[in-house]
Amino acid sequence: MASDDTLGRLAAVIEARKGASPEASYVARLLGKGTDAVLKKIGEEATEVVMAGKDGDAARIVAETADLWFHSLVALAHFGLTPAQVLAELERREGQSGLEEFALRKARERESFDPTAATPAPRP
């Protein structure tokens, strides 16, 4: 069973539950709370992955990462996006050094910088 199949099936379940009753569906309840609640939940789950990693607890790292991925799928659905789009982006990056990708991103940011735009206040 390929992982993208699992992600696709789970995304389909999440999509189907978007319109369900919040009393009957955790996904519907979370989405009903809005963007901030969905994003806050991702932050909470990411923190739990970090804490499990700090503890060195392999089983908990896996379980918390599963929670993080699930809530990331909920966020994708919330924003009208799919796991296939994320997988396509990962495939696009495949074979490219992380350092090269970072340097390319920084170069694009410099190219798009508008010096006439408002500048941020200096740091104290």
Side-chain angles (χ1 to χ4, degrees):
M1 174 185 327
S3 61
D4 57 338
D5 293 341
T6 301
L7 294 175
R9 285 192 308 274
L10 187 51
V13 169
I14 290 168
E15 193 64 36
R17 292 189 181 159
K18 281 170 70 172
S21 165
E23 291 80 33
S25 168
Y26 170 76
V27 169
R29 185 179 319 141
L30 180 58
L31 290 172
K33 293 178 181 179
T35 301
D36 286 348
V38 172
L39 298 177
K40 179 181 176 188
K41 192 63 182 171
I42 291 174
E44 291 172 6
E45 297 301 342
T47 300
E48 290 174 5
V49 170
V50 170
M51 298 309 296
K54 297 281 280 176
D55 292 343
D57 184 338
R60 217 171 104 229
I61 293 168
V62 169
E64 296 300 349
T65 299
D67 289 347
L68 177 59
W69 286 15
F70 173 80
H71 287 91
S72 294
L73 290 172
V74 172
L76 287 173
H78 176 72
F79 291 108
L81 302 169
T82 67
Q85 290 170 284
V86 176
L87 292 171
E89 176 62 14
L90 289 171
E91 288 171 8
R92 184 191 69 77
R93 296 178 186 185
E94 191 173 4
Q96 182 179 29
S97 155
L99 296 174
E100 290 170 356
E101 194 274 333
F102 180 75
L104 182 59
R105 234 182 320 130
K106 285 297 184 187
R108 286 183 184 147
E109 288 172 10
R110 282 192 300 276
E111 289 171 5
S112 66
F113 176 70
D114 180 358
T116 62
T119 56
R123 291 186 175 183

